[in-house]
Amino acid sequence: MLEQLKGRLIASCQPVTGGPMDRPDIVAAMALAALDGGAAGLRIEGLDNVRAVRAATRAPLIGLLKRDLDDSPVRITPFATDVADLIAAGADFVAVDATSQTRPETVEALYSAIRAGGALAMADCATLDDGRRAAALGFDVLGSTMSGYTGGPVPAEPDLDLVRGLAELGHVTVAEGRYHRPEQAAAAISAGADAVVVGSALTRLEHVTGWFADAVAAQVATTQGAA
Ligand SMILES: CC(=O)N[C@H](C=O)[C@@H](O)[C@H](O)[C@H](O)COP(=O)(O)O
């Protein structure tokens, strides 16, 4: 299953929460469209969405579950019970936050739950140290997912340096986070990534529309200012 993802694009089909596209049938349609467009794998959030996508395709599926906890900034699959539920829903891989942020359950416990369920394990890292720890635990895939999301302003560009560092650890490396243009995805492969996850630019229609709407509005303001 890991081999199927090497050198390929993974589409993260995560609609804007509560938006008009936030329905399992629409997520499944997004997933099929992304596969038609050349994606080799899928990253899917939430149990109902994982079930809907699993019913529609056998393509490699990375499952995650986001929670907003009161006492921890960790959002991506914080509990071992979430891991078990995702595997029961049909996830081939389970992605967990592998950062050093305060958390309700250890990364070790989450990793054990993934292995107990017979799934593959993806570590969503923010730093090279996160990657080193996850690699030592035995995670199958290291992702740059959390870079820029553990405090401070979110950078505009993807973190290619982290991708380079993770790849040098000799583990399967997935570039993820703020890959908005095809040339950025290509740069991740040049930096050593085995695969690239693209989400917002493919499946968050509100975000992509906003990028264009803002560019149009900014240009109108510039043109009017010059007149
Ligand atoms: C930080 C966090 O919670 N990331 C999430 C992880 O699953 C998603 O919200 C992102 O959309 C995904 O990582 C893909 O990234 P981008 O949408 O930038 O292509």
Side-chain angles (χ1 to χ4, degrees), residues 12 14 43 64 66 75-76 124 145-146 149 176-180 197-201 204:
S12 170
Q14 297 186 47
R43 189 168 153 115
L64 64 143
K66 283 184 181 166
R75 295 187 72 215
I76 297 178
D124 288 344
T145 319
M146 290 304 298
Y149 300 106
E176 176 169 351
R178 304 182 300 282
Y179 289 88
H180 293 169
V197 172
V198 177
S200 304
R204 286 192 180 127

Side-chain angles (χ1 to χ4, degrees), residues 43-184:
R43 189 168 153 115
I44 306 294
E45 193 279 330
L47 298 178
D48 289 345
N49 293 328
V50 169
R51 281 188 207 103
V53 172
R54 182 77 300 162
T57 176
R58 298 309 307 164
L61 193 164
I62 302 166
L64 64 143
L65 204 153
K66 283 184 181 166
R67 291 187 182 278
D68 287 316
L69 302 174
D70 290 335
D71 51 356
S72 164
V74 169
R75 295 187 72 215
I76 297 178
T77 324
F79 297 112
T81 50
D82 297 334
V83 169
D85 290 346
L86 285 162
I87 296 169
D92 301 304
F93 294 74
V94 175
V96 303
D97 179 309
T99 68
S100 57
Q101 300 182 104
T102 313
R103 55 177 55 251
E105 293 184 7
T106 61
V107 180
E108 288 88 337
L110 300 173
Y111 175 76
S112 299
I114 297 173
R115 282 288 177 260
L120 292 158
M122 175 166 179
D124 288 344
C125 305
T127 66
L128 197 49
D129 275 346
D130 296 341
R132 285 198 189 98
R133 280 193 301 272
L137 282 173
F139 274 83
D140 303 288
V141 178
L142 307 179
S144 60
T145 319
M146 290 304 298
S147 174
Y149 300 106
T150 55
V154 176
E157 297 291 316
D159 188 348
L160 288 168
D161 287 340
L162 178 57
V163 169
R164 210 167 279 116
L166 293 174
E168 281 169 8
L169 297 178
H171 254 63
V172 175
T173 296
V174 169
E176 176 169 351
R178 304 182 300 282
Y179 289 88
H180 293 169
R181 299 191 305 276
E183 59 270 26
Q184 293 172 320

